[in-house]
Amino acid sequence: MPAISLCMIVRNEEKNIRRCLDSVKNHVDEMVIVDTGSTDRTKAICREYGARIFDFKWKGDFAEARNFSLKKAQGDGVLWLDADEAADMVDFPSLRTCLNGEGSPLILIPMLHFYGKEPADENRVYLSSFPRLIRNGAGIRFTGKIHEHLVSDTSSLSLPAEVNRSMRILHYGYMESAWKHKCNRNLELLLREKSEQPNNAWLDYHLAAEYHRSGKCGEAFQSVNRSIVGFLRKNLLPPPLVYKLKYDILITNGNYAAAHAGIEKAVSLYPDYVDLRFYQGMAQFALGEYGKAEQTFSHCLVMGESNPEYLILKGTGSFFSLYCLSLCYEKQGKSKEAEEAFRQAKELNPDPDFSVLGILNLVGGKDRSTAS
């Protein structure tokens, strides 16, 4: 069977590192830990797991550090994780077999990105798929000082058509207890890289995301619009993530009229993106178009949440849409349908946070999440 190397870059992660290493210790063949300057017990803990530890001087460049870890990996495949992640193994032997043959050098793995308060809840996640297992020696490397991504030295990278569900990666780094200390660091690195690449539309997107997480709505909206313009100037279609962020910013800040005015175009570009449809439904509801909103939320339920091409907020294709659908029915005097939709929403998520996308603002502060 092909051997798999775990590759990580870490710094002062004594609070998280055990959770990560415990999740993979019985599955990987070696652990390659690149430490960029820890002053706590991170390296000592890694030694307990038999990891190979390499010191690397931090230069403000995540890709450089990750590429150094790849050079140290001896396995046929490389599983790369961060300390604030953990692997949920379903059928790891099957995952190894993906490294046999002549398939894609990238293996897509489903990821759950937790948000909100402790404890982590699988109903409070963003869903995505990402190439976290790569074939070693296939000319794959990282690029980008922050929010690094994979490129090929030999040819363009194409992702496989299917996600391998032999494992999941659980990401805890954007829960309220964890993400705040990262914000200033991320902004500093992004602004530095932006000064070097002023026309990089992806950097504008990532800046907008950091501003949005920090509650800086004006800066976030300006940056995401710069990102859209930047892609268009290069005759590129702005990626779906960019439009998702734009309408996330508008919806969460109650700018429903502005969202309503432009989101139809975004939906036409990415008609299979359930989050955009969900935002469209919320804008329609806020402006009193209850029949249209009913149709939109019903369509979200048909679309579901399993499309691996997108970052999806869990609930937009299930309990959030059911809850909003119940409000649409209620506004139209369909009391029985409203109660049934609300019952189904509560069945899927018994303890929902229906305020997550400003839904409480949308309905004037009415909170039905504790109703019987």
Side-chain angles (χ1 to χ4, degrees), residues 77-251:
V78 172
L79 173 66
W80 60 282
L81 296 175
D82 288 326
D84 59 6
E85 298 172 343
D88 178 23
M89 301 299 184
V90 178
D91 185 6
F92 199 70
S94 295
L95 189 65
R96 287 182 185 272
T97 62
C98 293
L99 297 170
N100 289 323
E102 298 180 354
S104 171
L106 309 175
I107 291 88
L108 284 175
I109 305 295
M111 296 187 66
L112 280 67
H113 310 269
F114 296 102
Y115 66 87
K117 298 178 179 179
E118 298 281 356
D121 182 344
E122 289 203 15
N123 278 321
R124 244 184 5 254
V125 296
Y126 284 89
L127 307 167
S128 72
S129 300
F130 208 77
R132 288 302 195 94
L133 182 62
I134 59 180
R135 198 185 306 274
N136 199 5
I140 307 298
R141 60 181 175 83
F142 291 92
T143 187
K145 288 183 171 63
I146 185 171
H147 298 296
E148 64 279 14
H149 58 279
L150 293 166
V151 295
S152 173
D153 288 333
T154 57
S155 62
S156 60
L157 282 177
S158 58
L159 295 176
E162 295 185 1
V163 178
N164 190 298
R165 302 189 182 279
S166 300
M167 69 173 286
R168 307 185 304 171
I169 294 175
L170 312 179
H171 178 210
Y172 300 89
Y174 285 103
M175 299 190 70
E176 286 183 8
S177 59
W179 75 265
K180 291 181 180 179
H181 78 279
K182 296 180 178 180
C183 183
N184 289 336
R185 178 206 67 185
N186 289 354
L187 280 173
E188 180 182 347
L189 291 172
L190 284 166
L191 289 170
R192 185 188 310 165
E193 192 165 9
K194 178 67 175 174
S195 68
E196 299 170 358
Q197 303 179 55
N199 298 320
N200 188 322
W202 271 117
L203 291 177
D204 285 316
Y205 162 77
H206 290 303
L207 278 167
E210 293 298 334
Y211 286 135
H212 186 39
R213 292 190 192 102
S214 304
K216 298 177 180 179
C217 307
E219 293 94 329
F221 193 62
Q222 290 174 8
S223 292
V224 77
N225 281 330
R226 278 197 300 269
S227 178
I228 291 172
V229 171
F231 282 110
L232 293 175
R233 282 177 175 169
K234 296 178 181 179
N235 294 319
L236 297 173
L237 180 65
L241 271 178
V242 181
Y243 285 116
K244 172 184 169 60
L245 179 57
K246 176 176 180 174
Y247 292 101
D248 192 343
I249 293 168
L250 290 172
I251 292 293

